[in-house]
Amino acid sequence: MTDPDVLKAAQDNLWMHFTRHSAYQGAEVPMIVRGEGAYVYDIHGKRYLDGLAGLFVVQVGHGREELAEAAAKQAKELAFFPLWSYAHPKAAELAQRIAELTPGDLNRVFFTTGGGEAVESAWKLAKQYFKTQGKPLKTKVVSRSIAYHGTPQGALSITGIPALKQVFEPLVPGAIKVPNTNIYRADEITGFAGSDKDPEAFGRWAAEEVGRAIEMEGPDTVAAVFVEPVQNSGGCFPPPPGYFRRLREICDQYDVLLVSDEVICAFGRLGTMFGGQKFDYVPDIITCAKGLTSGYAPIGAMIASERLFEPFKDGTEMFAHGYTFGGHPVASAVALANLDIFEREDILGHVTANEPVFRGTLEKLLDLPIVGDVRGSGYFYGIELVKDKSTKETFNDEESERLLRGFLSKALYDAGLYCRADDRGDPVVQLAPPLICGPKEFDEIEGILRSVLTEAWARL
């Protein structure tokens, strides 16, 4: 197809995800045609710094020929075979390699094709596991306010963003919400002045809120707690000191599974292979996807501790759940090649060494009146925008609509930076560049943000 044909097809036939199509009435749909390293190029040849790694995905950068070659080689050898009572070598090899990288005894890898499916699988496993233990009422899950865990009906129920759920209700019952760990808004969250000045106390309070929710529902009815190491939605909330240690204790006390949703945080995003390793906790289940193949093929996984697999080892018990393309041979081969790059190029070491540089570069923006907070971990940061820095006053709905959707997203893109301006919580700009980036790309990100945010403030 010619360029005009492709652009017309996008207008006439393509239904894009999470997209207000009215924004493109009489306007061209942005069309990205290729990528190289930390950059992508549109249909007109313009270059953009990929400040979001696609969607927290392209860890080792665009244009890696060896990943494309791994896919082609596997497709020639065995393009497809399901994991339904059969296996193929690449899925087995990848499962073993993942198990060698996980903390604790998380040795059982159940493949999916994406993160939402992995979350869905984890809730289903939690329910069935407790039935095998003679605790059939343990079906509910606890998750955090504003947290995003996926779009399938179960995963969407666990998600804590009301606006994303309302049009799809009724959802799966039994999903309870507790406060998140946004230390910048701790006073508002706890109701106690000064909470934002005492991270450890705030962390204890937030963890205890999980315990109180379990008590309120009845410990014999709660199966799992779902948390991200760094919460994505709302703009990158790292855990306060001691939070996960106390949360692990609470889950053990009430015989509740701790599920670490690492769809974003696994595979180097925080400088560790798995996000829980960054904050020194071992969950019962890890859900992951995105960075496992750096986006070169779709794959996800639910990784479970050995004890959760125990009831399924003998007798007639079966986890009656699966996906046609879970553990796809081509995707598995790409994931293995991707992990080879991680080892060969010391991607984790690179992120760990450059994390303070990235943070320091972004914190330069705190001199702007519109920037209230810079937070995050590794290569995963959020910049919260405010109307008044002294009071932390945020924007009203009309201002947020005009600022984020009406100006910021397009202005940043036009300036050559692809990132996310998001208001699922308070207005933030999110950044998660490919893990190969360094000071040069950080400076470019800061320069574009400074220019665009300065203009945004002038437009208020």
Side-chain angles (χ1 to χ4, degrees):
M1 298 175 77
T2 66
D3 288 356
D5 290 337
V6 169
L7 291 168
K8 188 174 189 305
Q11 286 279 8
D12 296 348
N13 305 112
L14 184 62
W15 196 332
M16 292 178 287
H17 301 195
F18 287 98
T19 299
R20 287 186 183 178
H21 279 260
S22 61
Y24 299 117
Q25 289 179 2
E28 186 179 283
V29 175
M31 184 72 66
I32 301 299
V33 298
R34 71 180 183 93
E36 181 179 349
Y39 296 88
V40 293
Y41 297 78
D42 70 14
I43 201 167
H44 306 295
K46 183 176 177 179
R47 190 181 81 163
Y48 305 85
L49 177 56
D50 185 356
L52 207 60
L55 195 61
F56 317 103
V57 173
V58 190
Q59 313 294 64
V60 300
H62 298 274
R64 292 280 190 157
E65 290 186 7
E66 67 185 274
L67 298 184
E69 289 167 357
K73 180 181 177 183
Q74 182 58 43
K76 290 178 183 178
E77 186 174 299
L78 178 68
F80 174 76
F81 208 79
L83 296 179
W84 297 42
S85 301
Y86 298 86
H88 56 79
K90 288 302 185 224
E93 185 181 346
L94 180 59
Q96 180 187 51
R97 191 154 177 187
I98 290 172
E100 291 171 349
L101 296 169
T102 53
D105 71 339
L106 280 85
N107 299 325
R108 294 291 174 168
V109 183
F110 184 95
F111 286 114
T112 67
T113 59
E117 290 176 358
V119 170
E120 198 85 358
S121 301
W123 192 0
K124 291 180 75 172
L125 175 60
K127 288 180 178 180
Q128 186 172 352
Y129 169 76
F130 281 116
K131 286 179 172 60
T132 69
Q133 303 304 295
K135 300 178 179 180
L137 298 181
K138 287 178 80 71
T139 62
K140 298 174 185 175
V141 297
V142 177
S143 60
R144 300 185 292 200
S145 172
I146 315 178
Y148 177 82
H149 292 283
T151 56
Q153 290 288 89
L156 188 58
S157 300
I158 298 171
T159 290
I161 308 170
L164 291 186
K165 304 196 295 184
Q166 291 166 348
V167 295
F168 302 112
E169 292 176 336
L171 299 172
V172 180
I176 302 106
K177 303 296 174 289
V178 294
N180 60 49
T181 61
N182 183 1
I183 187 71
Y184 183 66
R185 298 285 177 183
D187 288 15
E188 301 168 32
I189 293 170
T190 64
F192 303 116
S195 295
D196 60 342
K197 304 296 190 299
D198 191 343
E200 287 196 27
F202 176 58
R204 287 194 301 273
W205 178 88
E208 294 297 343
E209 284 296 295
V210 176
R212 281 187 277 273
I214 293 171
E215 283 280 3
M216 182 66 69
E217 295 296 323
D220 59 338
T221 72
V222 179
V225 173
F226 281 71
V227 288
E228 299 163 275
V230 175
Q231 182 175 319
N232 167 38
S233 185
C236 301
F237 305 148
Y243 174 80
F244 275 112
R245 182 179 64 252
R246 181 61 187 134
L247 192 58
R248 178 72 269 182
E249 293 171 351
I250 289 168
C251 288
D252 290 342
Q253 176 185 347
Y254 294 112
D255 191 21
V256 169
L257 303 182
L258 178 57
V259 181
S260 190
D261 184 354
E262 304 195 11
V263 172
I264 289 175
C265 292
F267 307 111
R269 181 55 52 191
L270 305 183
T272 49
M273 192 58 76
F274 292 95
Q277 294 166 324
K278 179 79 174 236
F279 303 111
D280 197 27
Y281 70 94
V282 179
D284 300 294
I285 297 174
I286 292 172
T287 58
C288 59
K290 294 186 184 290
L292 179 51
T293 63
S294 285
Y296 284 71
I299 198 170
M302 173 191 69
I303 312 167
S305 74
E306 199 66 44
R307 74 181 177 95
L308 300 184
F309 181 74
E310 199 68 31
F312 303 94
K313 289 176 68 172
D314 304 306
T316 60
E317 196 71 44
M318 174 182 66
F319 187 38
H321 176 62
Y323 301 98
T324 299
F325 295 111
H328 191 283
V330 173
S332 297
V334 172
L336 287 163
N338 183 54
L339 292 174
D340 287 342
I341 293 174
F342 266 74
E343 291 184 12
R344 187 175 68 247
E345 300 184 8
D346 189 20
I347 297 295
L348 301 183
H350 177 77
V351 173
T352 299
N354 281 283
E355 174 182 5
V357 182
F358 191 27
R359 177 187 289 274
T361 302
L362 294 179
E363 285 180 343
K364 293 177 183 177
L365 296 168
L366 286 168
D367 67 354
L368 298 178
I370 197 172
V371 175
D373 192 30
V374 174
R375 55 179 177 257
S377 182
Y379 275 30
F380 186 32
Y381 280 89
I383 299 170
E384 183 166 336
L385 308 180
V386 294
K387 189 159 55 175
D388 188 319
K389 291 180 75 158
S390 62
T391 64
K392 302 182 184 178
E393 181 185 0
T394 191
F395 305 96
N396 61 37
D397 290 344
E398 185 276 330
E399 290 167 335
S400 184
E401 176 76 18
R402 179 161 48 88
L403 179 70
L404 266 70
R405 293 189 177 88
F407 174 71
L408 264 184
S409 292
K410 186 176 186 302
L412 288 167
Y413 184 74
D414 289 345
L417 176 63
Y418 166 71
C419 61
R420 168 185 271 176
D422 187 20
D423 65 347
R424 288 177 295 180
D426 294 302
V428 295
V429 175
Q430 280 188 294
L431 298 156
L435 306 185
I436 59 169
C437 288
K440 172 179 170 292
E441 289 81 15
F442 303 156
D443 287 342
E444 185 176 349
I445 289 170
E446 191 272 342
I448 293 173
L449 283 169
R450 177 171 296 277
S451 174
V452 172
L453 291 177
T454 298
E455 185 177 349
W457 180 255
R459 285 169 170 257
L460 284 175

